[in-house]
Amino acid sequence: MMKNCEYQQIDPRALTVSPSSAQIHTVKKVQRLRRKWEVFPGKNRFLCDGRFILARQSGVLPLTLGLIIVTCCLFFAFDCPFLVEHLTVFIPVIGGMLFLFVTISLLRTSFTDPGILPRATPDEAADIEKQIDTSGSSTYRPPPRTKEILINQQVVKLKYCFTCKMFRPPRTSHCSLCDNCVERFDHHCPWVGNCVGKRNYRFFYSFIVSLSFLTSFIFGCVITHITLRYQAGKSILQAIQESPASVVELVICFFSIWSILGLSGFHTYLVASNLTTNEDIKGSWSSKRGTEDSGNPYSYNSIITNCCATLCGPMPPSLIDRRGFLPPDEAGPAASTSEIELPPFAAKNGTHMCTQSTKDVLERMVHSSEFQGLCPPGIPKTTPLGLEGSNTAAPSTEPLPSAGCSRHHACHSVVTPCPPFSRSSRRDSLHSINPAFRLASPSPSLSHTTLILGDAPDMGFILPREHPLTTGEDEES
Amino acid sequence: PAETFHNLQELRHSASLANKIFIQRDYSEGTTCKFQTKFPSELESRIEWTLFEDTVKTLNNYYAEAEKIGGQSYLEGCLACATAYLIFLCMETRYEKVLKKIAKYIQEQNEKIYAPRGLLITDPIERGMRVIEICIYEDRGSSGSSSGSSSVSGSTAR
């Protein structure tokens, strides 16, 4: 109803209806449900609200991308026209396809979870400790714990990871750069800006193989180009002067080819013998160590099977569940008091409801007293809002600080929707009231108040699709 | 014998957690996902050994099915490679399909077998596929596998 949208300065005195204890409870309850990526303990960066994962140090990924893009652009701009004219039109087509494949593989390698193992829960860690039964004193760090197991009749030692508090599964290694245990850990690649592990090894392999093809292809085409010009009667110097970009490409390709081809060859060998770089470097299964059966226990003893298993095997799921919601209890009681959920506000005259800027709201809030108690009571603890959809700009990509600038962050991360009146504009339709947020406050001005996010469309907080109110019905609270 | 816990919700919200045990992975066949079928001593008084073993074996079979390398997985892998792995964005992998089946199975087992005995199995995927976590809830009635009466429910911690 329109009249409920009228903005009214919230009178703190009018809010003293619920006892203070209940208000404190509601402060805790109205905490925004946080996603698991926000409290992820490893050194990773998350983009797009947890959809993409990257190592914190992106290494030289921009350089890699830059080199590839620049080389290809030069190729398409300077060499292709000549070659299309003199040879065939398929040259840019093939080049384009290779370029696309390389870029997509690179991005998938960089942004895919390599197979990170979530750290052990406290209960699990305690259980493991009990089993180890260290009866020594607790003042010093106990010696590295290992457990020996038999894999395919071969003894393998499992090491205990002190950071993740668990025995690492076989072939798992802890990456110090990312501070995570990664399954089937191959290596941490700075060019790609991520670890290479079980889940993204196939992308990494596609990337280096296709990159070898791409560099060889460009190299060959550029040589052909210059040769053709040379054969047309000009000197080499003249040919180069006519197409200076070709020299740049030549230089880049020449230096890359050695390393990329070498790397592809090396990884082809690893794939064929079902080894990881880590194991190969450490010589875990080399015949020099150990006299009795020291072969790779994971190998299928057939090159084809090894290749297929590594590259075409089933794609395991990500174990860290980045976009899952944390149960509200786990969000941390310490943070609850300072992470004030901004109380809902009614807008001026309905039509301008959703246009009130966040800043204004904040200012009003700051100037108004007793904001601690303004959190609307009765907001239930678990309201899965399922923030899916067009969350283009993740408002807070870092974990919300437990103190300090909580207001500003809380403002951006508040999910309290607006009531569904004023369906006139598209923006307004984003804010449909969630019945779970209906307040039990006696003050009518508060019952339909919501926080207006000034840049609401960009926030894109869309209620789950199956929610009845997202169908656009004007539901009266 | 009366059942102490009528449903999972009751178990989760009104019973108090006594203990958690963890079934570890069995790596004897490599890195494929398989859990040990050794019967933990803490469960001896709570559930029959055969039921437990059955559950773990079924789970192991499910995981083996998900990780099986064979015709279908190769097809999926090759198709994915041909489409520059973009197909994973729209298609659900076989592994994910099996994981859903597993989740349903665990839910069903919890409802039918474990919750009535004051136990709760947590899906291994929530623990990084490292362990099967079994929560043992306080036996309301007298000790032993017989369930206590629900009249004591008021005194249990919330």
Side-chain angles (χ1 to χ4, degrees):
Chain A
M1 302 219 291
M2 296 302 269
K3 62 173 189 272
N4 291 323
C5 305
E6 279 177 5
Y7 175 73
Q8 292 174 12
Q9 183 84 31
I10 292 178
D11 188 351
R13 289 167 297 173
L15 296 171
T16 52
V17 281
S18 8
S20 54
S21 59
Q23 281 180 338
I24 292 173
H25 280 304
T26 56
V27 168
K28 279 191 191 156
K29 282 182 188 173
V30 305
Q31 244 180 308
R32 179 187 74 93
L33 280 173
R34 299 205 293 180
R35 291 193 191 260
K36 290 182 186 169
W37 64 262
E38 298 178 47
V39 296
F40 187 70
K43 291 187 191 156
N44 288 95
R45 253 189 291 170
F46 296 90
L47 307 172
C48 290
D49 198 25
R51 285 183 179 88
F52 302 118
I53 180 172
L54 196 59
R56 185 165 295 177
Q57 310 159 319
S58 59
V60 290
L61 173 65
L63 176 67
T64 314
L65 261 177
L67 274 176
I68 295 173
I69 291 179
V70 161
T71 313
C72 288
C73 284
L74 289 178
F75 175 71
F76 288 125
F78 292 98
D79 295 283
C80 279
F82 184 89
L83 289 169
V84 165
E85 205 183 298
H86 288 79
L87 281 180
T88 166
V89 76
F90 281 116
I91 291 193
V93 170
I94 296 175
M97 277 174 26
L98 277 174
F99 169 69
L100 268 178
F101 198 83
V102 165
T103 315
I104 293 175
S105 303
L106 172 63
L107 292 177
R108 283 233 73 175
T109 313
S110 303
F111 294 124
T112 304
D113 167 19
I116 296 175
L117 276 179
R119 298 192 182 177
T121 54
D123 297 309
E124 208 184 315
D127 189 66
I128 294 177
E129 295 264 349
K130 255 193 325 189
Q131 286 175 12
I132 294 174
D133 193 34
T134 49
S135 44
S137 82
S138 54
T139 52
Y140 71 98
R141 186 167 153 148
R145 305 159 175 176
T146 55
K147 192 162 79 166
E148 283 189 1
I149 55 167
L150 269 181
I151 296 183
N152 290 331
Q153 276 79 52
Q154 200 165 324
V155 174
V156 174
K157 270 201 181 135
L158 297 186
K159 278 200 186 149
Y160 182 79
C161 182
F162 283 99
T163 316
C164 304
K165 300 217 176 3
M166 59 176 180
F167 277 102
R168 286 188 208 127
R171 306 194 101 174
T172 304
S173 195
H174 191 95
C175 175
S176 48
L177 285 164
C178 304
D179 204 23
N180 288 316
C181 268
V182 176
E183 280 192 296
R184 204 185 184 278
F185 180 74
D186 196 85
H187 66 286
H188 182 101
C189 185
W191 295 95
V192 153
N194 199 4
C195 288
V196 177
K198 183 160 90 165
R199 294 186 78 242
N200 64 351
Y201 187 72
R202 66 192 72 193
F203 305 138
F204 176 74
Y205 187 75
S206 322
F207 168 62
I208 53 176
V209 167
S210 52
L211 188 62
S212 345
F213 280 120
L214 181 68
T215 45
S216 318
F217 180 74
I218 292 184
F219 192 74
C221 287
V222 170
I223 297 273
T224 313
H225 176 195
I226 295 188
T227 312
L228 285 175
R229 281 193 194 259
Y230 176 66
Q231 278 176 351
K234 309 184 179 111
S235 72
I236 291 264
L237 215 58
Q238 256 183 314
I240 289 174
Q241 269 173 351
E242 278 176 16
S243 177
S246 307
V247 181
V248 175
E249 292 167 51
L250 264 182
V251 167
I252 294 177
C253 288
F254 182 74
F255 286 112
S256 329
I257 272 190
W258 298 114
S259 40
I260 300 286
L261 274 178
L263 201 60
S264 303
F266 174 62
H267 277 278
T268 307
Y269 155 72
L270 287 181
V271 164
S273 33
N274 205 331
L275 279 175
T276 64
T277 307
N278 204 23
E279 286 165 356
D280 190 71
I281 288 179
K282 285 191 193 161
S284 312
W285 315 118
S286 74
S287 48
K288 295 178 207 134
R289 286 166 60 146
T291 47
E292 67 290 351
D293 47 13
S294 59
N296 184 1
Y298 313 108
S299 169
Y300 294 94
N301 295 319
S302 150
I303 290 182
I304 297 184
T305 318
N306 280 339
C307 290
C308 292
T310 313
L311 301 173
C312 300
M315 181 71 177
S318 173
L319 297 173
I320 55 177
D321 189 24
R322 306 181 290 276
R323 286 176 50 83
F325 284 104
L326 282 172
D329 322 301
E330 278 180 30
S336 61
T337 48
S338 47
E339 270 182 314
I340 314 159
E341 191 77 1
L342 292 180
F345 277 134
K348 305 172 191 168
N349 302 324
T351 48
H352 302 298
M353 174 184 80
C354 295
T355 60
Q356 189 168 23
S357 71
T358 313
K359 243 188 173 175
D360 290 346
V361 169
L362 271 177
E363 277 171 344
R364 285 200 180 87
M365 289 202 56
V366 164
H367 294 317
S368 179
S369 61
E370 279 156 78
F371 264 96
Q372 302 285 335
L374 282 184
C375 294
I379 289 185
K381 220 163 55 153
T382 52
T383 311
L385 288 170
L387 300 172
E388 302 163 337
S390 57
N391 250 352
T392 48
S396 50
T397 49
E398 285 128 39
L400 293 174
S402 57
C405 50
S406 55
R407 277 212 185 101
H408 187 69
H409 278 278
C411 193
H412 278 281
S413 51
V414 151
V415 196
T416 36
C418 304
F421 27 86
S422 61
R423 287 282 176 195
S424 49
S425 66
R426 171 85 179 89
R427 290 166 103 187
D428 300 335
S429 68
L430 282 177
H431 309 282
S432 14
I433 195 167
N434 185 330
F437 279 77
R438 219 157 279 159
L439 313 172
S441 165
S443 167
S445 63
L446 279 186
S447 60
H448 297 289
T449 53
T450 61
L451 176 69
I452 316 311
L453 305 173
D455 48 343
D458 300 334
M459 304 296 262
F461 285 117
I462 299 174
L463 290 175
R465 280 177 223 106
E466 64 275 10
H467 200 282
L469 293 164
T470 52
T471 56
E473 266 120 39
D474 206 342
E475 196 174 297
E476 186 57 43
S477 72
Chain B
E3 290 193 348
T4 312
F5 304 105
H6 300 288
N7 54 27
L8 286 177
Q9 278 77 14
E10 208 180 288
L11 188 69
R12 283 193 182 115
H13 295 141
S14 54
S16 62
L17 193 58
N19 198 9
K20 276 190 192 179
I21 56 165
F22 299 92
I23 313 292
Q24 301 287 339
R25 283 269 293 267
D26 175 12
Y27 294 115
S28 57
E29 286 174 19
T31 50
T32 50
C33 188
K34 196 172 168 216
F35 290 96
Q36 292 176 358
T37 47
K38 186 173 78 89
F39 190 55
S41 51
E42 294 92 339
L43 292 182
E44 266 163 25
S45 56
R46 295 291 206 130
I47 191 170
E48 294 80 32
W49 165 74
T50 46
L51 287 172
F52 170 79
E53 198 192 34
D54 207 36
T55 309
V56 179
K57 279 199 169 151
T58 314
L59 283 176
N60 286 340
N61 287 338
Y62 272 124
Y63 286 118
E65 185 197 320
E67 295 184 0
K68 192 173 66 152
I69 45 170
Q72 202 190 346
S73 75
Y74 291 157
L75 197 63
E76 201 180 48
C78 290
L79 186 67
C81 183
T83 60
Y85 300 106
L86 293 174
I87 199 155
F88 285 147
L89 299 171
C90 25
M91 200 178 81
E92 196 181 53
T93 66
R94 195 165 64 119
Y95 211 117
E96 285 167 357
K97 289 192 187 121
V98 177
L99 284 178
K100 286 203 177 140
K101 279 203 273 187
I102 290 174
K104 239 179 30 172
Y105 173 74
I106 289 182
Q107 167 103 355
E108 186 194 303
Q109 288 282 292
N110 272 334
E111 279 169 10
K112 291 194 191 144
I113 299 177
Y114 290 86
R117 291 168 171 79
L119 303 169
L120 202 64
I121 299 184
T122 306
D123 197 336
I125 191 86
E126 293 177 27
R127 297 287 177 262
M129 305 266 267
R130 281 189 315 268
V131 287
I132 303 178
E133 184 182 292
I134 302 184
C135 302
I136 303 177
Y137 286 93
E138 196 180 80
D139 205 2
R140 284 186 195 152
S142 53
S143 62
S145 57
S146 64
S147 330
S149 69
S150 52
S151 60
V152 218
S153 61
S155 58
T156 53
R158 243 160 239 287

